[in-house]
Amino acid sequence: MSQAVQSMMNRREMYKYQDMIDLPHPVSRTHPPMPIQDRAAQFAPFAALSGHYEAVRETARLTEERTELDEGIREELNRELRRIQEQIGSGDAVSFTYFVPDPKKSGGAYATVTGCVKKIKECERVILLEDGTEIPADEIISIQRSSQ
């Protein structure tokens, strides 16, 4: 079809509705107009896959593998814990780096916490800091005391 014919057909379609173009907008007598807030809600995005975004984000979240320490390093950490236990109440701050397992997937993350040791629960193998933080002794990979 030529461009001239196409243009002529478009004009004919336009004139087809010419009688309605200048008419006022119809307003129903039985149905009041919808508030603008409700009209906007009609066009809000629809989440057909609810939870999909969160699942993708969880899958993309990276975790670290737990580092296995050899016996020599493990023994040095135990000696340091005994020294710290002897000095509980001195007010010295201690920094612990330990592994926190991820509750949703394999692996986890390493966290570093600094504080004063309140108590070492030997039976449970847990270090309790004065702020209430509990650190599993078997997950510790590094201990640094502020004053040695």
Side-chain angles (χ1 to χ4, degrees), residues 86-104:
E86 292 169 1
Q87 297 176 353
I88 287 179
S90 66
D92 292 342
V94 182
S95 293
F96 296 96
T97 302
Y98 64 103
F99 185 76
V100 179
D102 192 297
K104 295 184 178 181

Side-chain angles (χ1 to χ4, degrees), residues 65-128:
E65 294 298 318
R66 179 181 303 185
T67 303
E68 294 297 326
L69 302 177
D70 64 30
E71 283 301 314
I73 295 172
R74 177 72 46 210
E75 193 56 44
E76 181 59 37
L77 289 172
N78 286 333
R79 275 195 296 272
E80 189 63 29
L81 282 175
R82 284 192 292 275
R83 280 186 229 128
I84 291 169
Q85 187 171 18
E86 292 169 1
Q87 297 176 353
I88 287 179
S90 66
D92 292 342
V94 182
S95 293
F96 296 96
T97 302
Y98 64 103
F99 185 76
V100 179
D102 192 297
K104 295 184 178 181
K105 57 198 302 189
S106 66
Y110 283 96
T112 301
V113 178
T114 303
C116 296
V117 177
K118 180 179 181 180
K119 183 177 183 179
I120 296 179
K121 301 177 183 178
E122 291 185 40
C123 294
E124 300 167 26
R125 304 255 326 131
V126 172
I127 292 101
L128 180 64

Side-chain angles (χ1 to χ4, degrees), residues 4-85:
V5 173
Q6 183 75 21
S7 175
M8 189 172 85
M9 288 181 73
N10 286 343
R11 269 189 248 139
R12 193 176 334 156
E13 287 293 316
M14 190 172 84
Y15 290 118
K16 192 174 172 179
Y17 300 104
Q18 189 67 34
D19 60 334
M20 295 189 304
I21 289 177
D22 295 323
L23 290 177
H25 180 72
V27 178
S28 172
R29 292 183 185 134
T30 57
H31 299 289
M34 183 183 286
I36 292 177
Q37 185 72 22
D38 294 341
R39 285 178 53 89
Q42 291 184 64
F43 303 103
F46 174 67
L49 300 172
S50 62
H52 178 71
Y53 175 74
E54 289 80 15
V56 169
R57 198 171 74 210
E58 175 62 27
T59 302
R61 189 172 54 85
L62 299 176
T63 58
E64 296 180 59
E65 294 298 318
R66 179 181 303 185
T67 303
E68 294 297 326
L69 302 177
D70 64 30
E71 283 301 314
I73 295 172
R74 177 72 46 210
E75 193 56 44
E76 181 59 37
L77 289 172
N78 286 333
R79 275 195 296 272
E80 189 63 29
L81 282 175
R82 284 192 292 275
R83 280 186 229 128
I84 291 169
Q85 187 171 18

